[in-house]
Amino acid sequence: MFLRRKHTQKDDSEQRDAKVIELRTAIGPLSGRCSLFCTDACLMRYLEARNWNVDKARKMLEETLKWRSTYKPEEIRWHEVAHEGETGKVSRASFHDRQGRTVLILRPGMQNTTSAENNIRHLVYLLENAVINLSEGQEQMSWLIDFTGFSLNTSVPIRTARDIIYILQSHYPERLAIAFLYNPPRFFEAFYKAVRYFLDPKTAQKVKFVYPKNKDSVEMMQLYFDIENLPNEFGGNATLKYDHEEFSRLMAQDDVKTAKFWGIDEKPYQIGNGHSVAPEPAPISQQAG
């Protein structure tokens, strides 16, 4: 009689490591920024997004590397998108969730511009900023979406929402841990039904509708966030105050950190009245592979 070896977490870990090695071999030699981007954790996220199918993960990753080489998200600087952030429609929170993850706060009711391209560029900048500020060993972020002031006039077009979803799912796979849609108006349900069509099932499961008068909703928020850190817009005890000038200073400091990480030589720029002025970034020896 044969004894079947008990399956363990160690077996799973070894299998995942083997898949990462296989994927790294499949994509071939990398240099410059591509090499910096393609960490083992990064490869693992692409494998996870494609159910550990190496060939599908390779194709997905190659598409991202191609996109990053042309869109150059790591070269976007705050002074280029600051006008989009004047109302605080998207910002990085000063607090983390209970897992220590970076938190992005989105307030669609604060929409202040109409350019789809600039809206997307602003969001991509903040996605990159959230990633550069992730804690050691942390790969995911949480989203809090406040619908205060949201109306048909402030909602983004379906096409823009589709493009945002495509970028998030295709080029930032497994970056989103959870997204809380806090107290959305009833008419948003029709908008979400149209948008959900573009969400893959795994992403859709991460989207949670939260209502302040619903006991389960309140308990779920408390499960993910310390109520003392959570702004009262999301049922917490803290105050959410967006100071554009202060946030601009913070982003300017982070831009220096981003440039250093990616090997981009930049001169510092001055901050004034919430706006920044800077020369265009000049890449040094490390180029996108």
Side-chain angles (χ1 to χ4, degrees), residues 32-94:
R33 297 183 202 173
C34 287
S35 179
L36 288 172
F37 180 76
C38 293
T39 62
D40 284 355
C42 171
L43 268 55
M44 203 168 289
R45 286 188 295 103
Y46 278 79
L47 285 162
E48 179 72 32
R50 288 297 177 261
N51 295 315
W52 297 90
N53 181 303
V54 173
D55 189 50
K56 289 181 179 179
R58 176 187 60 79
K59 290 176 182 177
M60 185 185 195
L61 181 54
E62 286 176 348
E63 284 299 313
T64 291
L65 294 178
K66 190 185 300 182
W67 174 77
R68 292 187 71 90
S69 71
T70 55
Y71 199 86
K72 300 185 185 301
E74 75 279 6
E75 290 188 14
I76 303 173
R77 294 295 173 261
W78 178 247
H79 73 277
E80 301 169 29
V81 297
H83 64 284
E84 289 286 337
E86 287 178 352
T87 59
K89 64 187 177 187
V90 187
S91 61
R92 196 183 87 236
S94 59

Side-chain angles (χ1 to χ4, degrees), residues 56-278:
K56 289 181 179 179
R58 176 187 60 79
K59 290 176 182 177
M60 185 185 195
L61 181 54
E62 286 176 348
E63 284 299 313
T64 291
L65 294 178
K66 190 185 300 182
W67 174 77
R68 292 187 71 90
S69 71
T70 55
Y71 199 86
K72 300 185 185 301
E74 75 279 6
E75 290 188 14
I76 303 173
R77 294 295 173 261
W78 178 247
H79 73 277
E80 301 169 29
V81 297
H83 64 284
E84 289 286 337
E86 287 178 352
T87 59
K89 64 187 177 187
V90 187
S91 61
R92 196 183 87 236
S94 59
F95 58 92
H96 295 79
D97 67 11
R98 289 190 185 276
Q99 301 298 318
R101 292 181 287 234
T102 300
V103 177
L104 280 188
I105 295 178
L106 294 83
R107 299 194 284 178
M110 298 290 188
Q111 182 58 256
N112 61 326
T113 61
T114 56
S115 168
E117 182 179 346
N118 289 341
N119 268 288
I120 292 171
R121 191 169 173 81
H122 175 238
L123 180 59
V124 166
Y125 170 86
L126 284 162
L127 286 172
E128 291 285 313
N129 180 267
V131 169
I132 207 79
N133 280 287
L134 287 171
S135 304
E136 183 72 28
Q138 186 58 262
E139 288 291 307
Q140 295 185 308
M141 66 187 81
S142 296
W143 286 14
L144 286 172
I145 306 174
D146 170 28
F147 282 88
T148 302
F150 180 75
S151 68
L152 292 173
N153 292 330
T154 59
S155 62
V156 299
I158 296 291
R159 183 175 179 177
T160 304
R162 181 199 64 188
D163 292 345
I164 288 170
I165 289 168
Y166 174 79
I167 289 173
L168 180 65
Q169 292 184 157
S170 301
H171 304 313
Y172 297 88
E174 297 301 314
R175 282 299 191 193
L176 181 65
I178 196 162
F180 289 107
L181 280 59
Y182 195 82
N183 205 25
R186 292 198 60 176
F187 69 82
F188 177 77
E189 292 176 13
F191 178 84
Y192 183 70
K193 283 180 181 178
V195 167
R196 185 172 176 142
Y197 176 80
F198 305 111
L199 292 175
D200 66 47
K202 191 176 287 188
T203 303
Q205 288 178 358
K206 298 175 181 179
V207 178
K208 307 295 182 184
F209 282 73
V210 176
Y211 299 96
K213 294 181 180 179
N214 182 288
K215 183 183 176 184
D216 291 339
S217 290
V218 173
E219 289 179 353
M220 182 164 57
M221 290 295 284
Q222 293 177 355
L223 185 67
Y224 280 86
F225 295 96
D226 183 340
I227 206 77
E228 296 304 318
N229 293 333
L230 197 64
N232 51 36
E233 286 84 352
F234 300 100
N237 295 333
T239 301
L240 175 61
K241 183 182 178 183
Y242 178 76
D243 183 325
H244 187 59
E245 191 166 344
E246 180 59 36
F247 191 74
S248 294
R249 276 194 284 268
L250 180 64
M251 293 301 98
Q253 291 170 10
D254 281 355
D255 283 350
V256 174
K257 182 164 60 176
T258 298
K260 183 178 180 181
F261 176 82
W262 291 106
I264 303 170
D265 186 24
E266 295 184 342
K267 295 178 182 177
Y269 49 82
Q270 301 297 316
I271 302 293
N273 298 322
H275 296 278
S276 3
V277 180

